[in-house]
Amino acid sequence: MKIIPFASLLGTVLISMMMIMSCQVEFDPDDTSNAQILRQMNQQTRAASMNDDIEFIILTPNGLAEVGYKNFAMSAEEGDAYKELDGTSFFAVTSAGRYANDMFSIMVHSQNLSKSQSGDKLVLKKVSCGNFASNNSDIAFGTFEGGDIFVKNISDTTITLRFVKVKTRNGLGDTYFNGDLTFDIQ
């Protein structure tokens, strides 16, 4: 009589183990679905220390995109309209694309990073994002949905920022900026 509950318990354990093993799928380079890329991005981010390198990616609603443009200014001068942003550090990243709806951008003002050290978290003062070249306002302008940016390395001529699941959203969907990106300091 005790064998039936044991067999039932053993069967349940085996089925559970098979289900868990089926969830632990290795990254398949042929499967570049956004869901698969997000899973890989989460695994990389959790496992990496500030000393490790994480490849920078831009994941758009259309899939992976390359960096088409990047710029960094240690101390921005915005003038009369945005005096409160004068002296802040500013950077912009735009994905490469042929059409307006392919060029996803993020522009950020943060505290002045001139005295920053590796591991310092950016305090985001103003974030603009979207597909700015689009003539559709739902696509041209987006919202910052979250994520963090840290100083990874800084020298007199370059700064490397670590983006940790920085998420933006516009009419096309969600865009993620993740990994280490090095800028020349202007």
Side-chain angles (χ1 to χ4, degrees), residues 9-154:
L9 179 63
L10 181 62
T12 303
V13 168
L14 287 173
I15 290 171
S16 297
M17 287 176 56
M18 289 185 342
M19 289 177 64
I20 289 170
M21 289 172 60
S22 69
C23 292
Q24 295 176 342
V25 178
E26 292 293 319
F27 179 70
D28 179 2
D30 295 330
D31 179 9
T32 55
S33 69
N34 282 11
Q36 176 66 26
I37 294 167
L38 281 172
R39 281 192 296 276
Q40 181 189 22
M41 182 175 67
N42 287 333
Q43 289 172 350
Q44 264 187 329
T45 304
R46 277 194 306 267
S49 74
M50 199 56 75
N51 295 326
D52 297 327
D53 293 328
I54 300 177
E55 180 183 358
F56 185 78
I57 64 168
I58 302 173
L59 179 60
T60 74
N62 303 326
L64 287 173
E66 294 181 14
V67 174
Y69 171 81
K70 62 182 179 174
N71 189 29
F72 181 90
M74 188 61 77
S75 181
E77 295 299 326
E78 295 299 330
D80 293 336
Y82 297 100
K83 268 217 178 297
E84 71 278 6
L85 297 175
D86 283 352
T88 60
S89 290
F90 169 82
F91 64 89
V93 180
T94 300
S95 65
R98 186 171 180 182
Y99 303 105
N101 289 352
D102 297 331
M103 295 182 284
F104 291 81
S105 298
I106 187 167
M107 292 190 262
V108 177
H109 283 271
S110 71
Q111 79 273 25
N112 189 301
L113 299 173
S114 60
K115 301 216 187 298
S116 294
Q117 297 178 357
S118 180
D120 287 354
K121 183 177 176 179
L122 274 64
V123 177
L124 308 181
K125 297 187 179 283
K126 181 174 174 57
V127 179
S128 301
C129 52
N131 299 69
F132 299 128
S134 176
N135 63 0
N136 179 331
S137 63
D138 289 336
I139 296 170
F141 305 104
T143 57
F144 173 70
E145 298 292 315
D148 294 312
I149 305 171
F150 297 89
V151 174
K152 181 177 180 189
N153 293 318
I154 188 167

